Amino acid sequence: RLLRRRRSFLLSEIDDVEKLGNTPGEGVILVFRDGRRLQLPASFAGYRDALQLLWSAHPKIAGHVMLADATKTKLRSAKNG
């Protein structure tokens, strides 16, 4: 983000993965051992690709990848009508 300092996170330090928002598919929050939290909203252009790259960092991410795929498929079918 503009005017914010760069933050660095170690993937090996991911302690938990929580859902972002009240409904499934809104995104994830990566919780690190030191208490820092990184939000990845599903509206982020590279959300699905980011989850795919992070899959090996924490087992809970796999469920969010499958949810992102299901949401993408549902949106595509709704758009096509």
Side-chain angles (χ1 to χ4, degrees):
R1 292 184 180 168
L2 189 61
L3 302 177
R4 289 189 71 172
R5 66 183 173 102
R6 178 174 282 168
R7 300 184 302 167
S8 297
F9 299 91
L10 293 175
L11 297 181
S12 61
E13 295 291 314
I14 295 175
D15 192 43
D16 196 14
V17 179
E18 301 172 352
K19 68 179 182 173
L20 178 64
N22 294 327
T23 59
E26 289 187 44
V28 297
I29 301 171
L30 303 177
V31 182
F32 293 85
R33 288 190 187 118
D34 63 1
R36 293 185 300 163
R37 300 163 70 83
L38 177 65
Q39 294 185 6
L40 290 176
S43 60
F44 169 63
Y47 176 71
R48 203 273 181 217
D49 295 329
L51 289 183
Q52 186 70 37
L53 292 171
L54 294 168
W55 190 324
S56 63
H58 196 281
K60 281 188 177 180
I61 293 175
H64 291 282
V65 171
M66 289 185 275
L67 184 58
D69 287 343
T71 302
K72 188 175 182 179
T73 301
K74 188 172 183 176
L75 288 173
R76 190 178 311 130
S77 66
K79 186 184 271 187
N80 293 331

